[in-house]
């Protein structure tokens, strides 16, 4: 792989990681701590949504982000590494 393709590969890789970390930070910090009072006005069953996000939702989002990372990295790998 030449240096331009290598740079493009790492740019795509770090961009993906940055975007997923932003989502993770927003969900874990924003929805679970900073925005918990406004979110508690929404209910899931009998539980306030802010409480649910702090206890379960952020974990679910984290697991989903792992799968998104795996799928997207597979696409990036195929795009940049199979065209030698």
């Amino acid at each position: 792989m030449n240096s331009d393709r290598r740079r493009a590969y790492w740019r795509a890789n770090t961009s993906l990681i940055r975007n997923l970390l932003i989502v993770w930070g927003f969900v874990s910090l924003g929805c679970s701590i900073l925005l918990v009072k406004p979110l508690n006005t929404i209910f899931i069953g009998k539980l306030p949504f802010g409480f649910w996000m702090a206890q379960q939702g952020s974990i679910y989002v984290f697991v989903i982000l792992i799968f998104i990372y795996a799928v997207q990295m597979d696409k990036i790998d195929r795009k940049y590494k199979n065209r030698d």
Side-chain angles (χ1 to χ4, degrees), residues 47-68:
L47 291 175
F49 186 63
F51 175 78
W52 185 84
M53 281 302 292
Q55 299 302 312
Q56 298 294 324
S58 58
I59 296 169
Y60 291 148
V61 170
F62 181 68
V63 171
I64 290 167
L65 290 176
I66 292 171
F67 285 108
I68 290 171

PDB file of all heavy atoms in Angstrom, residues 47-68:
ATOM      1  N   LEU A  47     -40.299   3.015  34.403  1.00  0.00           N
ATOM      2  CA  LEU A  47     -38.986   3.595  34.719  1.00  0.00           C
ATOM      3  C   LEU A  47     -38.768   4.900  33.977  1.00  0.00           C
ATOM      4  O   LEU A  47     -39.049   4.994  32.785  1.00  0.00           O
ATOM      5  CB  LEU A  47     -37.863   2.629  34.325  1.00  0.00           C
ATOM      6  CG  LEU A  47     -37.736   1.353  35.125  1.00  0.00           C
ATOM      7  CD1 LEU A  47     -36.669   0.465  34.516  1.00  0.00           C
ATOM      8  CD2 LEU A  47     -37.399   1.665  36.563  1.00  0.00           C
ATOM      9  N   PRO A  48     -38.212   5.899  34.652  1.00  0.00           N
ATOM     10  CA  PRO A  48     -37.845   7.129  33.958  1.00  0.00           C
ATOM     11  C   PRO A  48     -36.707   6.855  32.967  1.00  0.00           C
ATOM     12  O   PRO A  48     -35.806   6.061  33.245  1.00  0.00           O
ATOM     13  CB  PRO A  48     -37.380   8.065  35.066  1.00  0.00           C
ATOM     14  CG  PRO A  48     -37.716   7.416  36.351  1.00  0.00           C
ATOM     15  CD  PRO A  48     -37.984   5.985  36.081  1.00  0.00           C
ATOM     16  N   PHE A  49     -36.763   7.479  31.796  1.00  0.00           N
ATOM     17  CA  PHE A  49     -35.793   7.214  30.731  1.00  0.00           C
ATOM     18  C   PHE A  49     -34.362   7.568  31.145  1.00  0.00           C
ATOM     19  O   PHE A  49     -33.428   6.868  30.791  1.00  0.00           O
ATOM     20  CB  PHE A  49     -36.190   7.972  29.461  1.00  0.00           C
ATOM     21  CG  PHE A  49     -35.331   7.659  28.281  1.00  0.00           C
ATOM     22  CD1 PHE A  49     -35.292   6.380  27.749  1.00  0.00           C
ATOM     23  CD2 PHE A  49     -34.560   8.638  27.686  1.00  0.00           C
ATOM     24  CE1 PHE A  49     -34.505   6.080  26.663  1.00  0.00           C
ATOM     25  CE2 PHE A  49     -33.768   8.360  26.594  1.00  0.00           C
ATOM     26  CZ  PHE A  49     -33.742   7.072  26.078  1.00  0.00           C
ATOM     27  N   GLY A  50     -34.171   8.640  31.898  1.00  0.00           N
ATOM     28  CA  GLY A  50     -32.834   9.018  32.361  1.00  0.00           C
ATOM     29  C   GLY A  50     -32.229   7.944  33.244  1.00  0.00           C
ATOM     30  O   GLY A  50     -31.048   7.601  33.116  1.00  0.00           O
ATOM     31  N   PHE A  51     -33.024   7.394  34.143  1.00  0.00           N
ATOM     32  CA  PHE A  51     -32.567   6.302  35.002  1.00  0.00           C
ATOM     33  C   PHE A  51     -32.246   5.069  34.170  1.00  0.00           C
ATOM     34  O   PHE A  51     -31.216   4.422  34.377  1.00  0.00           O
ATOM     35  CB  PHE A  51     -33.641   5.977  36.053  1.00  0.00           C
ATOM     36  CG  PHE A  51     -33.309   4.787  36.898  1.00  0.00           C
ATOM     37  CD1 PHE A  51     -32.403   4.900  37.933  1.00  0.00           C
ATOM     38  CD2 PHE A  51     -33.905   3.560  36.652  1.00  0.00           C
ATOM     39  CE1 PHE A  51     -32.091   3.796  38.725  1.00  0.00           C
ATOM     40  CE2 PHE A  51     -33.602   2.457  37.427  1.00  0.00           C
ATOM     41  CZ  PHE A  51     -32.690   2.570  38.470  1.00  0.00           C
ATOM     42  N   TRP A  52     -33.123   4.758  33.215  1.00  0.00           N
ATOM     43  CA  TRP A  52     -32.907   3.588  32.366  1.00  0.00           C
ATOM     44  C   TRP A  52     -31.623   3.733  31.558  1.00  0.00           C
ATOM     45  O   TRP A  52     -30.865   2.783  31.414  1.00  0.00           O
ATOM     46  CB  TRP A  52     -34.106   3.384  31.438  1.00  0.00           C
ATOM     47  CG  TRP A  52     -33.995   2.138  30.623  1.00  0.00           C
ATOM     48  CD1 TRP A  52     -34.346   0.880  31.004  1.00  0.00           C
ATOM     49  CD2 TRP A  52     -33.468   2.026  29.307  1.00  0.00           C
ATOM     50  NE1 TRP A  52     -34.073  -0.011  29.996  1.00  0.00           N
ATOM     51  CE2 TRP A  52     -33.532   0.668  28.934  1.00  0.00           C
ATOM     52  CE3 TRP A  52     -32.948   2.938  28.399  1.00  0.00           C
ATOM     53  CZ2 TRP A  52     -33.094   0.203  27.713  1.00  0.00           C
ATOM     54  CZ3 TRP A  52     -32.516   2.474  27.163  1.00  0.00           C
ATOM     55  CH2 TRP A  52     -32.586   1.124  26.840  1.00  0.00           C
ATOM     56  N   MET A  53     -31.367   4.957  31.016  1.00  0.00           N
ATOM     57  CA  MET A  53     -30.138   5.185  30.245  1.00  0.00           C
ATOM     58  C   MET A  53     -28.904   4.990  31.122  1.00  0.00           C
ATOM     59  O   MET A  53     -27.903   4.440  30.689  1.00  0.00           O
ATOM     60  CB  MET A  53     -30.123   6.583  29.624  1.00  0.00           C
ATOM     61  CG  MET A  53     -30.950   6.724  28.393  1.00  0.00           C
ATOM     62  SD  MET A  53     -30.482   5.609  27.064  1.00  0.00           S
ATOM     63  CE  MET A  53     -28.885   6.238  26.622  1.00  0.00           C
ATOM     64  N   ALA A  54     -28.963   5.461  32.351  1.00  0.00           N
ATOM     65  CA  ALA A  54     -27.823   5.324  33.250  1.00  0.00           C
ATOM     66  C   ALA A  54     -27.583   3.870  33.624  1.00  0.00           C
ATOM     67  O   ALA A  54     -26.426   3.453  33.788  1.00  0.00           O
ATOM     68  CB  ALA A  54     -28.047   6.156  34.514  1.00  0.00           C
ATOM     69  N   GLN A  55     -28.633   3.087  33.747  1.00  0.00           N
ATOM     70  CA  GLN A  55     -28.482   1.708  34.200  1.00  0.00           C
ATOM     71  C   GLN A  55     -28.319   0.702  33.063  1.00  0.00           C
ATOM     72  O   GLN A  55     -27.504  -0.209  33.171  1.00  0.00           O
ATOM     73  CB  GLN A  55     -29.688   1.307  35.056  1.00  0.00           C
ATOM     74  CG  GLN A  55     -29.854   2.145  36.284  1.00  0.00           C
ATOM     75  CD  GLN A  55     -28.623   2.091  37.169  1.00  0.00           C
ATOM     76  OE1 GLN A  55     -28.109   1.023  37.450  1.00  0.00           O
ATOM     77  NE2 GLN A  55     -28.158   3.242  37.598  1.00  0.00           N
ATOM     78  N   GLN A  56     -29.074   0.844  31.998  1.00  0.00           N
ATOM     79  CA  GLN A  56     -29.070  -0.156  30.933  1.00  0.00           C
ATOM     80  C   GLN A  56     -28.756   0.408  29.553  1.00  0.00           C
ATOM     81  O   GLN A  56     -28.022  -0.199  28.789  1.00  0.00           O
ATOM     82  CB  GLN A  56     -30.440  -0.859  30.863  1.00  0.00           C
ATOM     83  CG  GLN A  56     -30.823  -1.603  32.091  1.00  0.00           C
ATOM     84  CD  GLN A  56     -29.918  -2.784  32.348  1.00  0.00           C
ATOM     85  OE1 GLN A  56     -29.485  -3.439  31.429  1.00  0.00           O
ATOM     86  NE2 GLN A  56     -29.633  -3.047  33.603  1.00  0.00           N
ATOM     87  N   GLY A  57     -29.330   1.545  29.235  1.00  0.00           N
ATOM     88  CA  GLY A  57     -29.249   2.082  27.881  1.00  0.00           C
ATOM     89  C   GLY A  57     -27.839   2.351  27.409  1.00  0.00           C
ATOM     90  O   GLY A  57     -27.483   2.044  26.270  1.00  0.00           O
ATOM     91  N   SER A  58     -26.998   2.911  28.271  1.00  0.00           N
ATOM     92  CA  SER A  58     -25.629   3.209  27.846  1.00  0.00           C
ATOM     93  C   SER A  58     -24.845   1.927  27.570  1.00  0.00           C
ATOM     94  O   SER A  58     -23.995   1.902  26.688  1.00  0.00           O
ATOM     95  CB  SER A  58     -24.923   4.082  28.878  1.00  0.00           C
ATOM     96  OG  SER A  58     -24.893   3.451  30.133  1.00  0.00           O
ATOM     97  N   ILE A  59     -25.146   0.865  28.290  1.00  0.00           N
ATOM     98  CA  ILE A  59     -24.484  -0.422  28.034  1.00  0.00           C
ATOM     99  C   ILE A  59     -24.927  -0.980  26.691  1.00  0.00           C
ATOM    100  O   ILE A  59     -24.103  -1.458  25.903  1.00  0.00           O
ATOM    101  CB  ILE A  59     -24.779  -1.420  29.170  1.00  0.00           C
ATOM    102  CG1 ILE A  59     -24.190  -0.904  30.478  1.00  0.00           C
ATOM    103  CG2 ILE A  59     -24.242  -2.805  28.839  1.00  0.00           C
ATOM    104  CD1 ILE A  59     -24.634  -1.651  31.704  1.00  0.00           C
ATOM    105  N   TYR A  60     -26.223  -0.907  26.404  1.00  0.00           N
ATOM    106  CA  TYR A  60     -26.728  -1.374  25.110  1.00  0.00           C
ATOM    107  C   TYR A  60     -26.109  -0.582  23.962  1.00  0.00           C
ATOM    108  O   TYR A  60     -25.706  -1.152  22.952  1.00  0.00           O
ATOM    109  CB  TYR A  60     -28.250  -1.268  25.040  1.00  0.00           C
ATOM    110  CG  TYR A  60     -28.995  -2.237  25.929  1.00  0.00           C
ATOM    111  CD1 TYR A  60     -30.215  -1.894  26.477  1.00  0.00           C
ATOM    112  CD2 TYR A  60     -28.491  -3.498  26.205  1.00  0.00           C
ATOM    113  CE1 TYR A  60     -30.912  -2.768  27.281  1.00  0.00           C
ATOM    114  CE2 TYR A  60     -29.173  -4.376  27.019  1.00  0.00           C
ATOM    115  CZ  TYR A  60     -30.376  -4.017  27.548  1.00  0.00           C
ATOM    116  OH  TYR A  60     -31.059  -4.891  28.339  1.00  0.00           O
ATOM    117  N   VAL A  61     -26.041   0.729  24.134  1.00  0.00           N
ATOM    118  CA  VAL A  61     -25.454   1.570  23.082  1.00  0.00           C
ATOM    119  C   VAL A  61     -23.988   1.210  22.880  1.00  0.00           C
ATOM    120  O   VAL A  61     -23.508   1.133  21.748  1.00  0.00           O
ATOM    121  CB  VAL A  61     -25.632   3.069  23.414  1.00  0.00           C
ATOM    122  CG1 VAL A  61     -24.815   3.939  22.475  1.00  0.00           C
ATOM    123  CG2 VAL A  61     -27.097   3.440  23.345  1.00  0.00           C
ATOM    124  N   PHE A  62     -23.249   0.963  23.958  1.00  0.00           N
ATOM    125  CA  PHE A  62     -21.846   0.590  23.852  1.00  0.00           C
ATOM    126  C   PHE A  62     -21.674  -0.706  23.059  1.00  0.00           C
ATOM    127  O   PHE A  62     -20.819  -0.797  22.174  1.00  0.00           O
ATOM    128  CB  PHE A  62     -21.227   0.454  25.239  1.00  0.00           C
ATOM    129  CG  PHE A  62     -19.779   0.088  25.217  1.00  0.00           C
ATOM    130  CD1 PHE A  62     -18.829   0.981  24.746  1.00  0.00           C
ATOM    131  CD2 PHE A  62     -19.352  -1.149  25.662  1.00  0.00           C
ATOM    132  CE1 PHE A  62     -17.480   0.651  24.716  1.00  0.00           C
ATOM    133  CE2 PHE A  62     -18.015  -1.491  25.629  1.00  0.00           C
ATOM    134  CZ  PHE A  62     -17.078  -0.584  25.155  1.00  0.00           C
ATOM    135  N   VAL A  63     -22.493  -1.702  23.342  1.00  0.00           N
ATOM    136  CA  VAL A  63     -22.415  -2.981  22.619  1.00  0.00           C
ATOM    137  C   VAL A  63     -22.762  -2.779  21.145  1.00  0.00           C
ATOM    138  O   VAL A  63     -22.106  -3.326  20.253  1.00  0.00           O
ATOM    139  CB  VAL A  63     -23.318  -4.043  23.280  1.00  0.00           C
ATOM    140  CG1 VAL A  63     -23.417  -5.295  22.431  1.00  0.00           C
ATOM    141  CG2 VAL A  63     -22.799  -4.378  24.667  1.00  0.00           C
ATOM    142  N   ILE A  64     -23.765  -1.969  20.862  1.00  0.00           N
ATOM    143  CA  ILE A  64     -24.132  -1.672  19.473  1.00  0.00           C
ATOM    144  C   ILE A  64     -22.986  -0.964  18.758  1.00  0.00           C
ATOM    145  O   ILE A  64     -22.682  -1.266  17.599  1.00  0.00           O
ATOM    146  CB  ILE A  64     -25.432  -0.839  19.430  1.00  0.00           C
ATOM    147  CG1 ILE A  64     -26.619  -1.697  19.865  1.00  0.00           C
ATOM    148  CG2 ILE A  64     -25.667  -0.251  18.048  1.00  0.00           C
ATOM    149  CD1 ILE A  64     -27.882  -0.902  20.159  1.00  0.00           C
ATOM    150  N   LEU A  65     -22.308  -0.043  19.445  1.00  0.00           N
ATOM    151  CA  LEU A  65     -21.171   0.664  18.845  1.00  0.00           C
ATOM    152  C   LEU A  65     -20.026  -0.285  18.522  1.00  0.00           C
ATOM    153  O   LEU A  65     -19.318  -0.089  17.531  1.00  0.00           O
ATOM    154  CB  LEU A  65     -20.687   1.785  19.764  1.00  0.00           C
ATOM    155  CG  LEU A  65     -21.611   2.988  19.899  1.00  0.00           C
ATOM    156  CD1 LEU A  65     -21.047   3.977  20.903  1.00  0.00           C
ATOM    157  CD2 LEU A  65     -21.848   3.656  18.566  1.00  0.00           C
ATOM    158  N   ILE A  66     -19.839  -1.311  19.322  1.00  0.00           N
ATOM    159  CA  ILE A  66     -18.808  -2.318  19.028  1.00  0.00           C
ATOM    160  C   ILE A  66     -19.123  -3.019  17.712  1.00  0.00           C
ATOM    161  O   ILE A  66     -18.245  -3.202  16.865  1.00  0.00           O
ATOM    162  CB  ILE A  66     -18.673  -3.331  20.177  1.00  0.00           C
ATOM    163  CG1 ILE A  66     -18.083  -2.646  21.407  1.00  0.00           C
ATOM    164  CG2 ILE A  66     -17.806  -4.521  19.764  1.00  0.00           C
ATOM    165  CD1 ILE A  66     -18.108  -3.494  22.661  1.00  0.00           C
ATOM    166  N   PHE A  67     -20.374  -3.404  17.526  1.00  0.00           N
ATOM    167  CA  PHE A  67     -20.758  -4.066  16.281  1.00  0.00           C
ATOM    168  C   PHE A  67     -20.652  -3.112  15.086  1.00  0.00           C
ATOM    169  O   PHE A  67     -20.200  -3.514  14.006  1.00  0.00           O
ATOM    170  CB  PHE A  67     -22.172  -4.644  16.379  1.00  0.00           C
ATOM    171  CG  PHE A  67     -22.233  -5.888  17.213  1.00  0.00           C
ATOM    172  CD1 PHE A  67     -22.810  -5.866  18.467  1.00  0.00           C
ATOM    173  CD2 PHE A  67     -21.701  -7.077  16.752  1.00  0.00           C
ATOM    174  CE1 PHE A  67     -22.863  -7.006  19.241  1.00  0.00           C
ATOM    175  CE2 PHE A  67     -21.735  -8.228  17.520  1.00  0.00           C
ATOM    176  CZ  PHE A  67     -22.322  -8.189  18.769  1.00  0.00           C
ATOM    177  N   ILE A  68     -21.049  -1.866  15.275  1.00  0.00           N
ATOM    178  CA  ILE A  68     -20.923  -0.883  14.192  1.00  0.00           C
ATOM    179  C   ILE A  68     -19.455  -0.710  13.824  1.00  0.00           C
ATOM    180  O   ILE A  68     -19.104  -0.665  12.638  1.00  0.00           O
ATOM    181  CB  ILE A  68     -21.558   0.460  14.611  1.00  0.00           C
ATOM    182  CG1 ILE A  68     -23.069   0.323  14.686  1.00  0.00           C
ATOM    183  CG2 ILE A  68     -21.169   1.571  13.644  1.00  0.00           C
ATOM    184  CD1 ILE A  68     -23.768   1.531  15.293  1.00  0.00           C
TER     185      ILE A  68
END
